[in-house]
């Protein structure tokens, strides 16, 4: 803080780690970026391990450092918004997430809720990789397109609660046939996380074609 004064905070679960890596790799060298990220965790999860999540402490951190905040980017896995992480209707996680973001808004307006991305839902292991390279057509599009509806609901709910929302789905425009493998490289490392290559590939689409570009490169 003494050196850079202002910093960007990236907050969320393991998908926010993907976002942290993307923005870190694409930002200016002198950009100060802090990640408060923990896999699996989403706001106010009803689970006996909830105390191991970081969202309550994140609120304290935001309050303590509000004057040094440039922007908060918040995101978490899209399928958590689906019932049983699989199907519509949308689960009560949407309400919990929005309520948490409203708590942040009580402290600062420097908040951008970055919505979920489409998840390919393909297990990348030795067996599936051999299958893929034998015949690329062996892989079918297994994306749960219910996440498109989730995105639309999150847009509206965010707007209704005066929360700035960026649709990752709208900006990236993921197409399974074109974007799952690019130049022989997988853009995902498992069913839903970006690979190191994907962090750059999708990161460029997200950063340079959205409000994030103006935040990083004013």
């Amino acid at each position: 803080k003494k050196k850079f004064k202002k910093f960007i905070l990236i907050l969320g679960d393991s998908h926010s780690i993907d976002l942290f890596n993307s923005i870190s790799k694409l930002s200016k060298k002198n950009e100060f970026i802090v990640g408060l990220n923990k896999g699996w965790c989403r706001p106010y999860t009803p689970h006996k391990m909830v105390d191991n999540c970081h969202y309550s402490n994140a609120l304290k951190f935001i309050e303590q450092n509000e004057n040094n905040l440039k922007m908060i980017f918040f995101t978490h896995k899209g399928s958590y918004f689906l019932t049983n992480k699989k199907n519509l209707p949308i689960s009560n996680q949407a309400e919990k997430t929005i309520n948490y973001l409203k708590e942040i808004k009580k402290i600062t307006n420097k908040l951008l809720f970055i919505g979920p991305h489409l998840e390919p839902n393909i297990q990348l292991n030795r067996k599936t990789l051999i299958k893929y390279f034998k015949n690329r057509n062996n892989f079918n599009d297994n994306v749960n397109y219910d996440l498109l509806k989730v995105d639309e609901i999150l847009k509206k709910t965010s707007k209704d609660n005066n929360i700035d929302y960026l649709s990752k789905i709208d900006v990236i425009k993921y197409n399974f046939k074109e974007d799952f493998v690019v130049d022989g490289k997988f853009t995902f490392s498992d069913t839903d996380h970006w690979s190191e290559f994907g962090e750059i590939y999708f990161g460029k689409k997200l950063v340079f074609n959205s409000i994030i570009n103006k935040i990083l490169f004013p």
Side-chain angles (χ1 to χ4, degrees):
K1 284 195 297 183
K2 289 180 181 179
K3 181 176 180 180
F4 294 103
K5 309 302 180 188
K6 299 285 186 179
F7 67 91
I8 290 171
L9 172 62
I10 300 178
L11 174 63
D13 66 350
S14 57
H15 283 211
S16 76
I17 298 175
D18 289 352
L19 181 65
F20 177 91
N21 291 340
S22 292
I23 291 177
S24 296
K25 292 169 182 176
L26 296 170
S27 67
K28 297 175 291 187
K29 290 184 178 179
N30 63 346
E31 190 71 68
F32 181 21
I33 304 171
V34 175
L36 293 180
N37 326 97
K38 189 163 187 179
W40 180 86
C41 286
R42 60 267 195 198
Y44 305 134
T45 307
H47 188 277
K48 64 182 180 179
M49 298 297 287
V50 69
D51 289 338
N52 285 346
C53 285
H54 55 307
Y55 293 108
S56 294
N57 282 333
L59 289 176
K60 297 174 186 176
F61 178 83
I62 291 166
E63 189 169 15
Q64 291 167 356
N65 295 281
E66 200 277 334
N67 290 335
N68 296 90
L69 277 171
K70 187 174 181 181
M71 185 60 70
I72 301 168
F73 296 146
F74 175 91
T75 196
H76 72 68
K77 182 176 177 177
S79 53
Y80 287 146
F81 293 111
L82 293 169
T83 301
N84 297 322
K85 296 189 286 185
K86 291 182 179 179
N87 306 111
L88 289 171
I90 197 167
S91 73
N92 62 1
Q93 182 60 55
E95 181 180 2
K96 293 174 183 178
T97 295
I98 291 294
N99 285 340
Y100 179 75
L101 297 179
K102 286 163 69 175
E103 291 299 310
I104 294 179
K105 288 278 290 185
K106 291 178 182 178
I107 304 169
T108 180
N109 287 319
K110 292 174 280 191
L111 171 66
L112 182 63
F113 179 16
I114 300 177
H117 59 252
L118 292 177
E119 303 167 16
N121 292 313
I122 293 175
Q123 291 285 353
L124 290 177
N125 52 37
R126 185 173 183 273
K127 183 177 180 180
T128 57
L129 292 178
I130 290 173
K131 179 181 177 182
Y132 177 82
F133 284 111
K134 280 185 176 179
N135 184 356
R136 182 168 178 168
N137 293 324
N138 283 332
F139 274 13
N140 296 318
D141 184 349
N142 201 37
V143 171
N144 187 338
Y145 288 102
D146 283 348
L147 290 173
L148 296 174
K149 183 64 175 177
V150 169
D151 191 49
E152 291 301 316
I153 292 172
L154 292 177
K155 281 181 194 175
K156 183 180 184 306
T157 308
S158 297
K159 184 177 180 180
D160 290 345
N161 288 278
N162 196 30
I163 295 168
D164 291 333
Y165 183 81
L166 173 63
S167 171
K168 213 188 293 180
I169 288 175
D170 285 351
V171 175
I172 291 177
K173 303 184 189 307
Y174 177 78
N175 179 291
F176 174 74
K177 289 185 177 180
E178 295 178 2
D179 296 322
F180 185 62
V181 178
V182 177
D183 297 331
K185 298 177 181 179
F186 285 90
T187 54
F188 283 81
S189 60
D190 57 18
T191 58
D192 55 282
H193 295 92
W194 293 342
S195 64
E196 287 191 39
F197 174 76
E199 287 168 354
I200 295 292
Y201 178 75
F202 293 123
K204 286 181 178 179
K205 292 174 180 279
L206 182 64
V207 168
F208 298 128
N209 296 290
S210 74
I211 187 64
I212 297 176
N213 191 27
K214 293 181 180 179
I215 296 169
L216 291 177
F217 307 102

